Amino acid sequence: ADGSLAVDELHVKIKNLDARGSLRMGPSSQLLLDAPAFDLTGWETLLPALSEVALGGRVALDGLRAATAPTSLSGAVVLDAVKVAAKGQPPLTLAGRLVGAGDAVRSEALRLEVAGQPIALDVGVAPLSGAPVGTLVASGRGIETSALLGAFSKSAAEVSGPLRFDAQFRAPLAGAKPLLQVVNGTLDFTIAPGRFRGVSMLKDTIERSGPVVQAAVAAGQAFGGRDVKRMYSDEFQSL
C-alpha cells in the first residue's frame, strides 16, 4: 500500500542452505532470514573470493535482519567449527557468532584454533554505511610456540616455550591500498621460559665480538674463572 513490494513467505535455497524469511523493497528495504545450520563443504566453488581455500564446518543464520535507509543490521551468523584451509597452510578453525549491531558488525565469543592452539578473537567492522574500519583484538595464553610457528613453516620450528600475546589492530577497509599499508596497532608477546633450538645467544655474542672479548674470556678462565662454555645453552628465561 505504501509503494513497497513485499514477499511475506520468502524461501531461499542455495546448495544446502535452506533459509526462510521475508523481503520488503522500497524507500527503506529490509531482508529477514533464518536458516538452520548447514555444512560449508564445497561452498568455495560458489564464492569467487574463496576459490583458493577449502571450507568446512557449519553455519547458521539466527534472525539475520538487514535494512537500508538507514543502514541497520541485527541478528547473527553462528559459526560452528568453521574450517578455512588455504593451499599449503594449516586449517584455521573458527567458532562463535558474528552479530549485527545497527550500523556495525561485531563478534561474540569468537575463538580461533591453529595447530591445536586456541586464540581468543574480537573483531568488528563499523560503520557499514560508509568508510568502514575493521578492528581485530587477539590474545593467547599458554600457547606452544613451536606448534604455532611450525604450522606455517616447512621446516621444524626453532623456537619453543609457552607463549603469551596480546594484539590490537585496526585498518580502513575502503580504498585501493593494500591492507599492510594502512593497518596500525600493536603486538605484545612473551615467551618464558623458552629455547632457541641449537642456538646459544651467549656463544654467538662472544664469537661475534672480536678477539679482545675472546681473549678476556680465555684469560679469565686461565686465572681460575668459570668456563663460559658451560653456559653455552640454547635455553632462555624470557623473550
Side-chain angles (χ1 to χ4, degrees):
D2 61 355
S4 298
L5 173 64
V7 182
D8 293 329
E9 297 181 11
L10 182 65
H11 186 191
V12 178
K13 284 182 64 71
I14 304 174
K15 198 173 170 60
N16 56 337
L17 164 66
D18 192 344
R20 296 180 182 271
S22 62
L23 173 65
R24 180 175 295 275
M25 295 179 292
S28 179
S29 298
Q30 180 175 279
L31 173 66
L32 173 63
L33 286 177
D34 277 284
F38 60 96
D39 192 345
L40 280 179
T41 302
W43 269 77
E44 63 272 11
T45 61
L46 304 180
L47 304 170
L50 298 176
S51 61
E52 300 299 320
V53 303
L55 297 177
R58 293 160 62 85
V59 168
L61 306 183
D62 182 12
L64 191 63
R65 184 190 300 269
T68 63
T71 300
S72 178
L73 187 67
S74 60
V77 176
V78 184
L79 310 177
D80 180 9
V82 171
K83 288 183 172 59
V84 181
K87 186 176 181 180
Q89 297 292 334
L92 308 179
T93 303
L94 282 165
R97 293 164 61 92
L98 298 176
V99 179
D103 197 23
V105 175
R106 58 180 175 81
S107 62
E108 285 184 352
L110 192 60
R111 182 184 177 95
L112 170 67
E113 186 172 296
V114 184
Q117 306 304 304
I119 298 172
L121 294 180
D122 187 359
V123 301
V125 178
L128 300 177
S129 54
V133 174
T135 58
L136 168 67
V137 177
S139 63
R141 298 291 185 272
I143 291 175
E144 179 46 56
T145 305
S146 60
L148 191 63
L149 295 180
F152 296 98
S153 173
K154 295 181 180 179
S155 59
E158 299 299 328
V159 184
S160 62
L163 168 68
R164 174 211 58 82
F165 77 90
D166 293 281
Q168 297 185 36
F169 297 104
R170 58 187 288 117
L173 302 180
K177 289 186 177 181
L179 184 63
L180 288 179
Q181 292 187 15
V182 295
V183 68
N184 64 80
T186 60
L187 170 63
D188 172 60
F189 73 93
T190 300
I191 303 173
R195 177 187 177 197
F196 287 116
R197 187 169 299 145
V199 177
S200 169
M201 300 299 290
L202 179 60
K203 178 182 179 182
D204 189 61
T205 300
I206 291 175
E207 290 182 349
R208 291 173 180 267
S209 59
V212 173
V213 173
Q214 294 174 20
V217 170
Q221 183 180 353
F223 286 94
R226 295 181 62 187
D227 182 2
V228 296
K229 291 182 179 180
R230 294 169 52 201
M231 294 181 284
Y232 282 178
S233 171
D234 61 2
E235 297 178 353
F236 58 84
Q237 290 180 320
S238 65
L239 174 65

